Amino acid sequence: QVQLVESGGNLVQPGGSLRLSCAASGFTLDDYAIGWFRQAPGKEREGVSCSSSNDGTTYYADSVKGRFTISRDNAKNTVYLQMNSLKPEDTAVYYCAADHSCTVVAVSGGYRYIENWGLGTLVTVSS
């Protein structure tokens, strides 16, 4: 059974940092691209970052480029999202998802093609 469990969300002040974790089970992590999405209240879910499975390439949305870093530890079946210089507009529930490519993360509305979602982890950036 494919399962993804997000953790690491918290309340943080603007300018602060958090590291989110995505623990995968039921499949081999290095066979899949792993993406992070987020959904703010009243807004559509959007792709934030992705780590591909085959060539090591990564994707970042323009809004997080230079501040967020995605990494994976295939031995631990875990993907991380290091978030620095956090802004209030980063406030959202963050989800990770597995797919065969990062395309679903990079395109608008790509989240609709994801079948398996975890419960997400809440990140609140506020003073």
Side-chain angles (χ1 to χ4, degrees):
Q1 181 182 359
V2 173
Q3 189 173 17
L4 296 162
V5 179
E6 304 90 344
S7 63
N10 210 331
L11 170 64
V12 63
Q13 292 186 341
S17 297
L18 282 175
R19 189 177 79 158
L20 305 184
S21 298
C22 170
S25 61
F27 66 100
T28 302
L29 190 69
D30 54 6
D31 289 340
Y32 289 84
I34 302 296
W36 284 96
F37 293 80
R38 67 185 181 186
Q39 188 164 17
K43 293 191 176 181
E44 189 177 29
R45 194 167 297 192
E46 63 175 354
V48 174
S49 182
C50 187
S51 170
S52 69
S53 61
N54 49 8
D55 58 5
T57 58
T58 55
Y59 160 81
Y60 296 97
D62 287 343
S63 58
V64 306
K65 205 169 289 183
R67 299 188 298 122
F68 290 12
T69 303
I70 191 170
S71 61
R72 60 165 68 203
D73 185 336
N74 289 335
K76 294 184 178 180
N77 246 30
T78 301
V79 175
Y80 304 99
L81 186 67
Q82 178 67 42
M83 307 188 298
N84 298 329
S85 302
L86 283 161
K87 304 176 182 180
E89 50 263 44
D90 295 318
T91 295
V93 178
Y94 284 71
Y95 303 88
C96 61
D99 200 81
H100 295 290
S101 82
C102 286
T103 301
V104 293
V105 183
V107 299
S108 176
Y111 68 90
R112 297 186 181 95
Y113 299 96
I114 301 294
E115 295 183 347
N116 294 296
W117 292 102
L119 296 179
T121 187
L122 176 62
V123 173
T124 303
V125 185
S126 174
S127 55

